[in-house]
Amino acid sequence: MIEADAEMVVPPGVRITCAATEHVSLAYHENAIPVVREIVVTNATEVDLRDLKVQIESRPAVVQPLTLRIDRVPAGADHHIETPDLRLDAGLLGGFTEASRLELTVSLSDAEGERARTVAELRLLPPTHWGGGRSAPELLAAFVRPNDPSVDVVLRDAATKLGDAGRETGLNGYTAGKKARAWELAEAIWAALADRRIAYVLPPASFEQAGQKVRGPSDVLERRVGTCLDLSLVYAASLEQAGLNPVLVLTAGHAFVGVWLQDEDFASAAVDDMQLLRKRRDLQDLILVETTLLTFNPPAAFKMAVTQGAAQVEDEAPAALEVAIDVRRCRRRGIRPMDLGGGKPVDVTPAEIAPLNQGLSAPPTFEDEVRPVAEEAAEGPVDRLERWKRKLLDLTLRNKLLNFKPGKGSVILECVSPGALEDGLAAKREFRLKPVSDVLGGADERSAELYARRHHDDARRSYLEAALARGELYTTATEADLDRRLLDLYRLARNGFEEGGANILFLAIGFLSWTRKEGEDPYRAPLLLIPVSLKRSSVRAGFRLALHDDEVRINPTLLEMLREDFRLRMPELEGELPRDDFGYDVDGIFRIVRRHVKELRGWEVVPDVVLSAFSFTKYLMWRDLVDRADLLKRNPVVRHLIDTPKHSYGDGAPFPEPQRLD
C-alpha cells in the first residue's frame, strides 16, 4: 500500500492522507481489489470542521470522480473513511498496452474553499500485466485462462495421445478417484505441449515481486515462445480445463506448477510455507512440474520434469519460496479468469521440425486408500505407573531418540533409496561403506545443472542408485574421517555387546522433524531403527554394513512421547510393522507418519539415513511395565506402591514372614 501525504495544508493542522494500492489494472477491477483502502482526515486545530467534501479523481481518468461528504470533524480528532466505493472505467483500463503512471488526487474542502490535498502516484498496468507478489498475489489466478481457444486444441491432442497409449481418452479430472489417472492426464497434456517445441525467454529480474507482462495461451502456442511464468500459466490453464487442480509456485526468480493428484486444495489461496508443499509432495497428494523443461531440445519427459520440480521445494533448495497460488481455492474466492477477448482461432499446430511424438509412460504406483486415523480416548492424570514408564524411556530432549544431533559418533549416509537399502539388508546383503563421492560435486568440474539440461538425468542420483545396487554405500564424510568414525562405532558396539549383552548399533532410517511450539527450532527423532553390525576381514580392510540378529523397531520413545505430550497415536505402528516382499515397507511407514502429521505446522518426515549408537537398556523394563501391569499388580506390595503409596501398607496387615521368602 502507498501512503500519500498532504501536499498543502490550509490552515496548519488540517491534513488528509490516503492508503492506496500500488497498482491499478483490469484484474484489480474485475476482482474488486479496492484502489483506496482508507482516507483519514486529521483536524489538529482547536475548532471543529463542518460540512466537508472529500473529492477523489485521477489522471488519466480511469477512476470515476467521487465526492464524499463529512458533516463534522471535531477539534483534535481524526475521521476515517474505510474503503470508499471507487468505480473504474473498465473500457479505458482494457485499452492500455504499456505500464504508465496514475495520479490519484484526494482533496478536502468546505464552504471557504480547499483545506488540504494529497496526491498518490500509482502504477497503471495493462490488462496483460500481472502486478507481482507484493500486492494481491492471488490475482495471478486470473491469468490462468482455461477458456482460451488454444487450450482446447492442446487438450484434443492430449486425448489423442491417451488413445494411442491404450488409455481412456476422456479428460475427466478426478472422476476415476485414482491418483494414477490424474497423473496420466497431466502427462498427456505435457506431451501435447512438448510437441509445440516452445522456445524459452528469460523473465525480467524479480518478476515474482514486481510482476511482468504475461503472454496468453494463444500467444505462447502460436509464437512458440514464453518465460517460465508464461509456460506455467499455459500448463495450469490446460490442467484446469481438463478438470485438475493446478498450483502456481513462485520462487525467487522462477515459476513452475503443482498438480493435485486428488480432488483437494490448500486451506488458503496463497501459501508461503515451503514445508507444506513438501509434505503434500511426500504424501503423493501433489506433484510439482518444472515447465521450462518443455523448452529443451528435445523436451524432457514428464517424469524428469516432476523430479526436477520436486527438488525445488527441498529444504536446501537454492531459491526460496515467494508464494504458491492454489487456483481452485482462488476460484472459490471469486477470482475468475480474465476475458481479454481475442477469441479468434489461432494456428497452434505442432511445429513441422523433427516430429517429437512424445509417448506416455506407465504412471508410478500410488496408494489411493485413505486410512482413518484412530482417535484416542481422553486420559486422566498421569499416575505413578505412568511416571515410572516415562522415567524409564527418558522423554526429555536429552534423549537422542527424541533430539538427535549428528556428530562425531555417527555417520550420515547419502542414500537415495532408504527402502532399497532396508530390502538389501533384509536379504542378508552386506554393503561396503565409502567416503563422500565427488561425482558432479566437490572436485568434479562438471555442472550438475548443465548435465541435467543436456541429458535429462540427475547423474549424481543415478550414480548413487547404481552404487547401492552393487553393494556400495556412500557417506558424507571424507576418507580419513570415515575410517575414524567407523572404527569408533565398531569398538563401541563390540564393548556394548560384551558388557551388556545387547546390540547398540542401529541404522536410523527416516527422521521426524518436530517442534514443541511454532517458531522454535525443530528437533529430529529417528523413525525406523534397523539393528546392524560392522564387519571387516582385516585391520586394513574397509568396513561392511550387515544386518544384526536383533529386532527391527519403530522408535518406541518417540511413539510414547507423541502419545503422552501431543495426544497423537499411530496405531498402525504399535503392533506388527507393515512389510513388503523383501522386508519392512519403509515407504509405507513414512506415509503413515506423514498422514498423521500433515496438519501439524513445522512437522515433517525427512528420509535421511544415519548410522549411530542407540541405547535400549531400559526398553525391556519399560516393555514389562506396559505389557504386564495387571500381572504386576497382583502382588500386594507392588499394588500398594502403585495405588496407595502414601498410606500404611495393608492397613495393618502383617508383612510376609522372612522364612517364606526366596
Side-chain angles (χ1 to χ4, degrees):
M1 301 299 289
I2 295 176
E3 295 284 350
D5 293 326
E7 289 188 342
M8 68 177 201
V9 179
V10 183
V14 178
R15 191 160 59 100
I16 187 168
T17 58
C18 77
T21 186
E22 293 184 359
H23 316 294
V24 175
S25 69
L26 187 62
Y28 275 52
H29 168 69
E30 290 186 352
N31 291 282
I33 303 294
V35 176
V36 174
R37 296 283 185 184
E38 183 183 43
I39 295 174
V40 180
V41 177
T42 300
N43 181 11
T45 69
E46 297 179 354
V47 297
D48 294 354
L49 299 176
R50 298 182 181 275
D51 297 327
L52 300 171
K53 288 194 303 182
V54 176
Q55 293 180 303
I56 307 173
E57 55 188 8
S58 71
R59 188 174 61 183
V62 295
V63 176
Q64 297 180 8
L66 177 66
T67 299
L68 304 170
R69 297 185 179 274
I70 304 174
D71 182 59
R72 171 175 168 267
V73 179
D78 292 340
H79 185 86
H80 296 260
I81 303 173
E82 303 284 348
T83 319
D85 187 14
L86 285 178
R87 304 297 177 92
L88 303 179
D89 188 328
L92 192 58
L93 284 171
F96 290 99
T97 58
E98 296 295 336
S100 58
R101 189 178 71 169
L102 172 70
E103 288 187 354
L104 186 71
T105 302
V106 183
S107 61
L108 177 70
S109 60
D110 59 11
E112 298 181 6
E114 187 172 287
R115 309 298 296 268
R117 169 188 294 260
T118 183
V119 178
E121 291 189 359
L122 316 180
R123 288 179 68 202
L124 181 58
L125 302 179
T128 57
H129 199 118
W130 174 58
R134 287 197 296 251
S135 177
E138 62 273 15
L139 285 188
L140 184 59
F143 293 86
V144 178
R145 298 164 53 198
N147 297 320
D148 188 290
S150 63
V151 171
D152 289 335
V153 180
V154 172
L155 295 187
R156 185 175 64 241
D157 289 352
T160 300
K161 288 184 176 293
L162 286 168
D164 292 343
R167 300 171 192 172
E168 183 185 349
T169 58
L171 303 176
N172 50 2
Y174 301 107
T175 55
K178 298 292 184 182
K179 293 180 180 180
R181 179 56 181 170
W183 173 285
E184 287 178 353
L185 296 179
E187 184 181 21
I189 293 170
W190 172 272
L193 288 172
D195 285 348
R196 268 72 194 170
R197 296 296 185 94
I198 302 170
Y200 184 60
V201 179
L202 289 172
S206 303
F207 78 90
E208 73 284 356
Q209 296 180 7
Q212 74 168 71
K213 201 168 184 178
V214 174
R215 296 173 176 85
S218 292
D219 195 19
V220 171
L221 296 173
E222 181 181 18
R223 299 175 182 270
R224 296 187 173 93
V225 295
T227 65
C228 57
L229 183 59
D230 297 331
L231 295 165
S232 297
L233 292 171
V234 171
Y235 188 49
S238 303
L239 293 168
E240 187 179 16
Q241 187 72 337
L244 301 177
N245 302 335
V247 178
L248 298 166
V249 185
L250 302 180
T251 58
H254 191 52
F256 54 101
V257 175
V259 188
W260 286 99
L261 294 181
Q262 52 193 9
D263 196 9
E264 281 196 47
D265 54 30
F266 288 117
S268 58
V271 174
D272 61 0
D273 183 3
M274 187 85 91
Q275 187 188 73
L276 185 56
L277 298 178
R278 195 162 56 243
K279 288 165 72 172
R280 289 299 196 150
R281 176 206 66 183
D282 293 341
L283 279 169
Q284 297 183 324
D285 294 339
L286 182 77
I287 58 173
L288 299 154
V289 185
E290 176 48 67
T291 51
T292 59
L293 269 62
L294 285 168
T295 65
F296 281 16
N297 186 21
F302 183 65
K303 283 187 176 180
M304 183 62 181
V306 172
T307 299
Q308 288 208 13
Q312 294 185 74
V313 298
E314 294 292 355
D315 194 32
E316 64 274 9
L321 177 68
E322 294 290 338
V323 68
I325 307 299
D326 192 302
V327 176
R328 184 195 193 192
R329 179 60 61 174
C330 289
R331 300 290 186 243
R332 289 181 169 181
R333 296 183 62 183
I335 300 176
R336 302 299 176 193
M338 282 200 304
D339 182 9
L340 299 179
K344 62 181 180 179
V346 294
D347 179 17
V348 293
T349 56
E352 295 299 328
I353 58 169
L356 181 64
N357 295 325
Q358 190 177 92
L360 306 186
S361 61
T365 301
F366 296 103
E367 183 175 308
D368 292 293
E369 179 187 5
V370 178
R371 295 187 178 91
V373 178
E375 296 290 339
E376 183 177 17
E379 295 186 352
V382 177
D383 60 16
R384 194 174 183 84
L385 186 63
E386 290 298 318
R387 287 198 298 273
W388 291 351
K389 291 191 292 186
R390 191 177 181 92
K391 288 181 178 180
L392 283 173
L393 279 185
D394 184 12
L395 302 185
T396 68
L397 294 177
R398 295 188 301 270
N399 191 342
K400 65 189 298 186
L401 287 168
L402 298 179
N403 182 21
F404 181 83
K405 296 178 180 179
K408 294 182 179 179
S410 59
V411 176
I412 300 175
L413 307 185
E414 195 173 0
C415 180
V416 295
S417 181
L421 173 58
E422 190 279 331
D423 290 343
L425 289 171
K428 305 301 182 182
R429 293 185 63 195
E430 296 181 357
F431 294 86
R432 185 172 298 278
L433 295 168
K434 309 275 285 182
V436 62
S437 169
D438 64 352
V439 174
L440 290 174
D444 194 337
E445 295 183 359
R446 295 177 298 169
S447 166
E449 182 180 353
L450 185 59
Y451 187 97
R453 177 175 288 272
R454 290 183 177 175
H455 300 282
H456 301 173
D457 179 36
D458 184 341
R460 184 173 181 84
R461 181 181 179 89
S462 298
Y463 179 80
L464 294 174
E465 286 177 343
L468 182 64
R470 64 175 179 264
E472 294 179 350
L473 271 173
Y474 282 91
T475 68
T476 61
T478 62
E479 184 172 6
D481 189 32
L482 178 63
D483 290 342
R484 185 168 52 252
R485 292 189 184 204
L486 291 178
L487 183 59
D488 289 344
L489 285 172
Y490 175 76
R491 291 171 174 169
L492 184 65
R494 184 183 60 188
N495 293 339
F497 189 81
E498 291 174 352
E499 295 175 2
N503 177 59
I504 63 170
L505 189 62
F506 288 85
L507 200 61
I509 296 185
F511 287 76
L512 177 64
S513 178
W514 63 282
T515 61
R516 288 199 179 275
K517 57 185 178 181
E518 191 172 333
E520 71 177 8
D521 292 336
Y523 309 106
R524 289 161 64 93
L527 288 176
L528 188 64
L529 294 161
I530 309 291
V532 293
S533 60
L534 289 172
K535 297 181 178 180
R536 60 178 179 177
S537 56
S538 66
V539 174
R540 293 178 178 239
F543 283 99
R544 290 172 287 113
L545 189 71
L547 187 68
H548 193 275
D549 292 334
D550 203 351
E551 66 171 313
V552 175
R553 54 174 68 104
I554 284 288
N555 183 349
T557 307
L558 174 63
L559 293 182
E560 187 67 10
M561 185 272 292
L562 294 177
R563 187 181 72 84
E564 291 195 13
D565 293 356
F566 295 95
R567 295 295 182 262
L568 174 61
R569 280 190 59 207
M570 300 184 187
E572 306 96 324
L573 303 179
E574 292 177 359
E576 182 69 21
L577 296 180
R579 286 182 170 270
D580 54 24
D581 295 338
F582 302 98
Y584 291 93
D585 185 3
V586 173
D587 293 334
I589 291 171
F590 287 176
R591 281 195 298 272
I592 289 170
V593 180
R594 283 169 175 147
R595 278 198 296 267
H596 283 283
V597 305
K598 70 178 181 180
E599 302 299 336
L600 298 177
R601 189 176 180 89
W603 291 47
E604 69 173 320
V605 173
V606 182
D608 291 349
V609 180
V610 179
L611 176 66
S612 189
F614 296 92
S615 176
F616 289 92
T617 54
K618 297 182 180 179
Y619 172 71
L620 293 178
M621 297 173 64
W622 175 85
R623 191 77 256 171
D624 265 347
L625 288 179
V626 172
D627 296 339
R628 305 175 183 228
D630 292 337
L631 183 61
L632 290 171
K633 283 186 178 182
R634 293 180 187 177
N635 182 289
V637 176
V638 175
R639 186 169 61 249
H640 165 71
L641 291 174
I642 293 175
D643 295 336
T644 57
K646 295 184 179 180
H647 299 161
S648 298
Y649 172 72
D651 291 331
F655 278 90
E657 297 179 8
Q659 61 268 25
R660 297 181 58 187
L661 299 177
D662 289 338

